[in-house]
Amino acid sequence: MTSTSTDPLIFLRRPSLSQGTLVLALSGWMDGGDVSTGTVTRLVHLLDAQPFAEIDPEPFYLFNFPGSMEIAALFRPHVVIEDGLVASCEMPTNVFSAHEPANLAFFIGKEPNLQWRTFGQCVFRLARDVGVRRIVFVGSFGGAVPHTREPRLYVTCSDAGLLPEMDQYGLRRSGYRGPGSFTSYLMSRAGAEGFEMVSLAAEIPSYLQGTNPRCIEAVTRRLAKMLKLPLDLASLRAASTEWELQISAIIEENQELANTVRQLEEAYDTELLQHEE
Protein backbone atom coordinates (compact mmCIF):
# COMPACT_ATOMS: atom_id res chain seq x y z
CA MET A 1 0.00 0.00 0.00
CA THR A 2 1.53 3.28 -1.14
CA SER A 3 -0.83 6.02 0.02
CA THR A 4 -0.99 8.42 2.93
CA SER A 5 -3.78 8.21 5.48
CA THR A 6 -5.43 11.30 3.93
CA ASP A 7 -5.17 10.13 0.33
CA PRO A 8 -8.33 8.30 -0.82
CA LEU A 9 -6.44 6.73 -3.74
CA ILE A 10 -4.74 3.58 -2.47
CA PHE A 11 -2.25 1.65 -4.61
CA LEU A 12 -1.66 -2.03 -3.89
CA ARG A 13 0.80 -2.25 -6.77
CA ARG A 14 1.57 -0.27 -9.94
CA PRO A 15 1.07 -1.91 -13.32
CA SER A 16 2.72 -0.34 -16.35
CA LEU A 17 0.67 0.31 -19.49
CA SER A 18 1.79 1.90 -22.74
CA GLN A 19 -0.81 4.35 -24.05
CA GLY A 20 -3.36 2.08 -22.40
CA THR A 21 -7.12 2.18 -21.99
CA LEU A 22 -9.06 2.46 -18.73
CA VAL A 23 -12.59 1.02 -18.92
CA LEU A 24 -15.00 2.44 -16.34
CA ALA A 25 -18.15 0.98 -14.78
CA LEU A 26 -20.25 2.86 -12.26
CA SER A 27 -23.36 1.67 -10.46
CA GLY A 28 -26.10 4.24 -10.12
CA TRP A 29 -27.26 6.74 -12.73
CA MET A 30 -26.34 4.86 -15.95
CA ASP A 31 -26.32 1.23 -14.79
CA GLY A 32 -29.85 0.16 -15.72
CA GLY A 33 -29.99 -3.57 -16.43
CA ASP A 34 -26.57 -3.80 -14.75
CA VAL A 35 -25.12 -3.00 -18.18
CA SER A 36 -22.26 -0.86 -16.86
CA THR A 37 -21.13 -3.00 -13.94
CA GLY A 38 -22.20 -6.26 -15.60
CA THR A 39 -20.20 -5.65 -18.77
CA VAL A 40 -16.98 -4.59 -17.06
CA THR A 41 -17.25 -7.29 -14.40
CA ARG A 42 -17.52 -9.86 -17.19
CA LEU A 43 -14.46 -8.44 -18.97
CA VAL A 44 -12.46 -8.51 -15.73
CA HIS A 45 -13.48 -12.14 -15.27
CA LEU A 46 -12.77 -13.19 -18.86
CA LEU A 47 -9.32 -11.58 -18.81
CA ASP A 48 -8.53 -12.50 -15.20
CA ALA A 49 -7.57 -8.88 -14.57
CA GLN A 50 -5.98 -8.41 -11.15
CA PRO A 51 -6.80 -5.65 -8.61
CA PHE A 52 -4.09 -3.05 -8.11
CA ALA A 53 -5.72 0.02 -6.53
CA GLU A 54 -8.88 1.32 -4.88
CA ILE A 55 -10.59 4.56 -3.89
CA ASP A 56 -11.58 4.81 -0.24
CA PRO A 57 -15.40 5.18 -0.21
CA GLU A 58 -15.60 7.10 3.09
CA PRO A 59 -15.37 10.71 1.74
CA PHE A 60 -17.66 10.24 -1.24
CA TYR A 61 -20.96 8.72 -0.17
CA LEU A 62 -24.00 9.60 1.90
CA PHE A 63 -25.20 6.86 4.23
CA ASN A 64 -27.64 8.75 6.45
CA PHE A 65 -29.78 10.79 4.07
CA PRO A 66 -32.60 12.77 5.75
CA GLY A 67 -36.16 12.15 4.63
CA SER A 68 -38.64 9.30 4.44
CA MET A 69 -37.57 5.72 5.04
CA GLU A 70 -38.11 4.96 1.34
CA ILE A 71 -35.65 7.68 0.31
CA ALA A 72 -33.16 7.01 3.12
CA ALA A 73 -33.10 3.30 2.21
CA LEU A 74 -31.58 4.16 -1.18
CA PHE A 75 -28.43 5.47 0.51
CA ARG A 76 -27.86 3.02 3.34
CA PRO A 77 -25.63 -0.04 2.97
CA HIS A 78 -27.39 -3.38 2.51
CA VAL A 79 -27.09 -5.67 5.51
CA VAL A 80 -27.99 -9.32 6.05
CA ILE A 81 -28.85 -10.57 9.55
CA GLU A 82 -29.37 -14.28 10.08
CA ASP A 83 -30.27 -16.09 13.30
CA GLY A 84 -29.48 -13.04 15.39
CA LEU A 85 -26.07 -12.36 13.80
CA VAL A 86 -24.93 -9.83 11.19
CA ALA A 87 -23.90 -11.96 8.22
CA SER A 88 -22.82 -9.09 5.96
CA CYS A 89 -22.77 -5.32 5.55
CA GLU A 90 -22.14 -4.24 1.96
CA MET A 91 -20.23 -0.96 1.87
CA PRO A 92 -19.43 0.68 -1.50
CA THR A 93 -16.25 -0.47 -3.21
CA ASN A 94 -14.19 1.25 -5.92
CA VAL A 95 -11.63 -1.15 -7.37
CA PHE A 96 -9.12 -0.81 -10.21
CA SER A 97 -7.85 -3.95 -11.97
CA ALA A 98 -5.35 -4.42 -14.78
CA HIS A 99 -4.56 -6.86 -17.56
CA GLU A 100 -1.16 -5.70 -18.78
CA PRO A 101 -0.88 -8.06 -21.82
CA ALA A 102 -3.96 -6.35 -23.31
CA ASN A 103 -2.77 -2.90 -22.14
CA LEU A 104 -6.02 -2.47 -20.20
CA ALA A 105 -7.12 -1.23 -16.81
CA PHE A 106 -10.64 -1.50 -15.41
CA PHE A 107 -12.58 0.36 -12.74
CA ILE A 108 -15.75 -0.93 -11.08
CA GLY A 109 -17.23 1.43 -8.52
CA LYS A 110 -20.20 3.49 -7.42
CA GLU A 111 -21.02 6.96 -8.69
CA PRO A 112 -20.03 9.33 -5.87
CA ASN A 113 -22.64 11.38 -4.00
CA LEU A 114 -20.08 13.95 -2.85
CA GLN A 115 -16.83 15.61 -3.96
CA TRP A 116 -17.02 14.85 -7.66
CA ARG A 117 -13.90 16.88 -8.38
CA THR A 118 -11.81 14.99 -5.82
CA PHE A 119 -13.12 11.60 -6.96
CA GLY A 120 -12.43 12.57 -10.55
CA GLN A 121 -8.88 13.62 -9.70
CA CYS A 122 -8.34 10.16 -8.18
CA VAL A 123 -9.37 8.58 -11.49
CA PHE A 124 -7.24 10.94 -13.58
CA ARG A 125 -4.22 10.64 -11.29
CA LEU A 126 -4.31 6.86 -11.37
CA ALA A 127 -4.73 6.84 -15.14
CA ARG A 128 -1.74 9.13 -15.52
CA ASP A 129 0.40 7.11 -13.12
CA VAL A 130 -0.11 3.75 -14.87
CA GLY A 131 0.16 4.94 -18.48
CA VAL A 132 -3.45 5.32 -19.66
CA ARG A 133 -4.19 7.45 -22.73
CA ARG A 134 -7.90 6.74 -23.29
CA ILE A 135 -10.78 6.35 -20.84
CA VAL A 136 -13.90 4.45 -21.93
CA PHE A 137 -17.14 4.37 -19.95
CA VAL A 138 -19.89 1.86 -20.67
CA GLY A 139 -23.43 2.35 -19.42
CA SER A 140 -27.12 2.39 -20.32
CA PHE A 141 -30.32 4.40 -20.31
CA GLY A 142 -33.97 3.42 -20.48
CA GLY A 143 -35.70 3.88 -23.82
CA ALA A 144 -38.18 2.55 -26.37
CA VAL A 145 -36.18 -0.44 -27.57
CA PRO A 146 -37.94 -3.84 -27.22
CA HIS A 147 -36.17 -6.70 -25.47
CA THR A 148 -36.38 -8.78 -28.66
CA ARG A 149 -34.09 -6.43 -30.61
CA GLU A 150 -30.46 -5.37 -30.39
CA PRO A 151 -30.05 -2.34 -28.12
CA ARG A 152 -29.20 0.86 -29.93
CA LEU A 153 -25.72 2.01 -28.90
CA TYR A 154 -24.82 5.69 -28.56
CA VAL A 155 -21.44 7.37 -28.22
CA THR A 156 -20.30 10.61 -26.62
CA CYS A 157 -16.71 11.81 -27.02
CA SER A 158 -14.53 14.33 -25.25
CA ASP A 159 -13.09 15.52 -28.56
CA ALA A 160 -14.61 15.88 -32.03
CA GLY A 161 -11.60 14.10 -33.51
CA LEU A 162 -12.75 10.84 -31.90
CA LEU A 163 -16.16 10.78 -33.58
CA PRO A 164 -15.06 9.45 -37.03
CA GLU A 165 -13.22 6.59 -35.30
CA MET A 166 -16.34 5.69 -33.32
CA ASP A 167 -18.53 5.79 -36.44
CA GLN A 168 -16.86 2.64 -37.77
CA TYR A 169 -18.27 0.64 -34.85
CA GLY A 170 -21.89 1.39 -35.76
CA LEU A 171 -22.43 3.76 -32.84
CA ARG A 172 -24.94 6.57 -33.04
CA ARG A 173 -23.90 10.02 -31.88
CA SER A 174 -25.77 10.94 -28.71
CA GLY A 175 -27.82 14.05 -28.06
CA TYR A 176 -29.10 14.91 -24.61
CA ARG A 177 -30.12 17.81 -22.33
CA GLY A 178 -30.89 17.20 -18.67
CA PRO A 179 -29.42 16.02 -15.37
CA GLY A 180 -25.80 14.96 -15.79
CA SER A 181 -23.91 11.92 -14.60
CA PHE A 182 -20.50 11.78 -12.95
CA THR A 183 -19.26 10.32 -16.23
CA SER A 184 -20.35 13.48 -18.07
CA TYR A 185 -18.41 15.51 -15.53
CA LEU A 186 -15.31 13.38 -16.11
CA MET A 187 -15.67 13.83 -19.85
CA SER A 188 -15.93 17.59 -19.49
CA ARG A 189 -12.55 17.55 -17.73
CA ALA A 190 -10.78 14.80 -19.70
CA GLY A 191 -9.22 16.99 -22.39
CA ALA A 192 -7.75 19.45 -19.91
CA GLU A 193 -6.32 16.51 -17.95
CA GLY A 194 -4.61 15.14 -21.07
CA PHE A 195 -6.93 12.20 -21.87
CA GLU A 196 -9.27 11.07 -24.60
CA MET A 197 -12.60 9.89 -23.24
CA VAL A 198 -15.47 7.97 -24.82
CA SER A 199 -18.85 7.02 -23.36
CA LEU A 200 -20.70 4.04 -24.86
CA ALA A 201 -24.35 3.87 -23.73
CA ALA A 202 -26.90 1.20 -24.60
CA GLU A 203 -30.59 2.00 -24.91
CA ILE A 204 -32.40 -0.68 -22.90
CA PRO A 205 -36.11 -1.56 -22.50
CA SER A 206 -37.63 0.85 -20.00
CA TYR A 207 -40.40 -1.64 -19.13
CA LEU A 208 -37.99 -4.17 -17.60
CA GLN A 209 -36.14 -4.22 -14.28
CA GLY A 210 -33.15 -6.26 -13.18
CA THR A 211 -30.10 -7.59 -15.01
CA ASN A 212 -30.36 -7.50 -18.80
CA PRO A 213 -28.07 -10.21 -20.27
CA ARG A 214 -28.95 -9.30 -23.87
CA CYS A 215 -27.71 -5.73 -23.47
CA ILE A 216 -24.64 -6.86 -21.53
CA GLU A 217 -23.79 -9.29 -24.33
CA ALA A 218 -24.30 -6.63 -27.02
CA VAL A 219 -22.16 -4.03 -25.25
CA THR A 220 -19.44 -6.57 -24.40
CA ARG A 221 -19.29 -7.67 -28.03
CA ARG A 222 -18.98 -4.09 -29.32
CA LEU A 223 -16.47 -3.16 -26.65
CA ALA A 224 -14.35 -6.23 -27.40
CA LYS A 225 -14.22 -5.11 -31.04
CA MET A 226 -13.21 -1.59 -30.06
CA LEU A 227 -10.48 -2.89 -27.74
CA LYS A 228 -9.40 -5.60 -30.21
CA LEU A 229 -9.98 -8.38 -27.68
CA PRO A 230 -10.36 -11.94 -29.09
CA LEU A 231 -12.84 -13.08 -26.45
CA ASP A 232 -15.01 -16.18 -26.44
CA LEU A 233 -18.49 -14.77 -25.84
CA ALA A 234 -20.43 -18.02 -26.32
CA SER A 235 -21.56 -18.14 -22.70
CA LEU A 236 -22.85 -14.56 -22.92
CA ARG A 237 -24.78 -15.33 -26.11
CA ALA A 238 -26.34 -18.40 -24.50
CA ALA A 239 -27.38 -16.42 -21.42
CA SER A 240 -28.80 -13.68 -23.67
CA THR A 241 -30.93 -16.13 -25.68
CA GLU A 242 -32.23 -17.91 -22.58
CA TRP A 243 -33.12 -14.59 -20.93
CA GLU A 244 -35.00 -13.35 -24.00
CA LEU A 245 -37.07 -16.55 -24.19
CA GLN A 246 -37.93 -16.34 -20.49
CA ILE A 247 -38.94 -12.67 -20.68
CA SER A 248 -41.00 -13.23 -23.83
CA ALA A 249 -42.89 -16.10 -22.17
CA ILE A 250 -43.73 -13.91 -19.18
CA ILE A 251 -44.81 -10.96 -21.34
CA GLU A 252 -47.10 -13.10 -23.48
CA GLU A 253 -49.17 -13.75 -20.34
CA ASN A 254 -49.90 -10.00 -20.10
CA GLN A 255 -51.87 -8.99 -23.20
CA GLU A 256 -51.48 -5.25 -22.66
CA LEU A 257 -47.72 -5.48 -22.25
CA ALA A 258 -47.44 -7.91 -25.18
CA ASN A 259 -49.23 -5.38 -27.41
CA THR A 260 -46.89 -2.65 -26.21
CA VAL A 261 -43.84 -4.77 -27.08
CA ARG A 262 -45.21 -5.46 -30.57
CA GLN A 263 -45.71 -1.74 -31.12
CA LEU A 264 -42.14 -1.10 -29.98
CA GLU A 265 -40.89 -3.83 -32.35
CA GLU A 266 -42.72 -2.25 -35.29
CA ALA A 267 -41.39 1.22 -34.47
CA TYR A 268 -37.87 -0.15 -33.98
CA ASP A 269 -37.89 -1.99 -37.33
CA THR A 270 -39.28 1.03 -39.18
CA GLU A 271 -36.71 3.34 -37.64
CA LEU A 272 -33.91 0.89 -38.44
CA LEU A 273 -34.86 0.77 -42.10
CA GLN A 274 -34.98 4.57 -42.26
CA HIS A 275 -31.62 4.82 -40.48
CA GLU A 276 -29.99 2.47 -42.98
CA GLU A 277 -31.27 4.36 -46.06
Side-chain angles (χ1 to χ4, degrees):
M1 186 175 298
T2 58
S3 70
T4 66
S5 59
T6 58
D7 187 352
L9 180 60
I10 303 168
F11 278 94
L12 310 175
R13 60 185 182 88
R14 290 181 184 267
S16 179
L17 308 180
S18 176
Q19 300 289 293
T21 298
L22 171 62
V23 183
L24 300 180
L26 291 164
S27 62
W29 187 258
M30 294 184 69
D31 194 27
D34 298 331
V35 172
S36 183
T37 53
T39 297
V40 180
T41 297
R42 180 54 65 100
L43 286 174
V44 168
H45 174 74
L46 289 172
L47 293 170
D48 193 28
Q50 296 300 305
F52 71 89
E54 59 188 39
I55 298 176
D56 182 0
E58 184 64 24
F60 302 109
Y61 302 104
L62 294 170
F63 299 114
N64 187 20
F65 192 82
S68 67
M69 289 186 65
E70 290 77 14
I71 297 299
L74 299 175
F75 294 86
R76 292 175 179 255
H78 181 72
V79 300
V80 175
I81 299 174
E82 297 177 344
D83 195 25
L85 298 173
V86 177
S88 65
C89 180
E90 299 178 7
M91 301 297 287
T93 59
N94 300 297
V95 178
F96 294 90
S97 303
H99 183 70
E100 292 176 80
N103 214 26
L104 289 173
F106 301 94
F107 175 73
I108 303 172
K110 180 181 179 182
E111 186 180 55
N113 302 129
L114 304 167
Q115 300 192 64
W116 281 20
R117 183 173 62 181
T118 302
F119 197 98
Q121 281 301 317
C122 288
V123 174
F124 289 135
R125 179 153 54 94
L126 176 137
R128 194 174 293 113
D129 285 354
V130 303
V132 164
R133 177 180 65 92
R134 176 175 292 182
I135 300 172
V136 177
F137 169 77
V138 292
S140 63
F141 64 95
V145 60
H147 71 281
T148 54
R149 300 292 189 269
E150 282 283 299
R152 290 181 279 247
L153 302 181
Y154 292 82
V155 68
T156 307
C157 298
S158 62
D159 184 272
L162 295 170
L163 289 169
E165 177 188 345
M166 294 299 113
D167 288 342
Q168 67 180 307
Y169 299 114
L171 306 175
R172 303 183 181 200
R173 298 182 182 185
S174 58
Y176 171 75
R177 292 176 181 267
S181 66
F182 175 70
T183 302
S184 297
Y185 166 75
L186 278 184
M187 190 167 293
S188 73
R189 297 294 309 150
E193 294 288 344
F195 299 99
E196 301 173 347
M197 186 166 177
V198 174
S199 172
L200 173 60
E203 182 182 5
I204 66 174
S206 59
Y207 56 86
L208 295 178
Q209 302 296 321
T211 301
N212 189 316
R214 176 159 197 163
C215 289
I216 292 173
E217 186 264 331
V219 173
T220 303
R221 179 165 23 89
R222 198 70 55 91
L223 191 58
K225 185 176 181 181
M226 291 170 61
L227 299 175
K228 298 178 174 58
L229 293 174
L231 299 176
D232 181 1
L233 302 180
S235 62
L236 276 178
R237 284 191 290 270
S240 171
T241 301
E242 181 180 358
W243 173 86
E244 181 184 337
L245 292 173
Q246 290 175 348
I247 294 298
S248 294
I250 294 171
I251 287 176
E252 284 302 319
E253 296 177 358
N254 183 323
Q255 190 60 49
E256 182 178 353
L257 184 54
N259 289 337
T260 297
V261 171
R262 292 188 185 98
Q263 292 171 4
L264 290 174
E265 290 172 337
E266 181 178 350
Y268 179 100
D269 295 341
T270 300
E271 193 271 344
L272 182 62
L273 289 173
Q274 294 172 345
H275 185 77
E276 292 178 344
E277 291 178 354

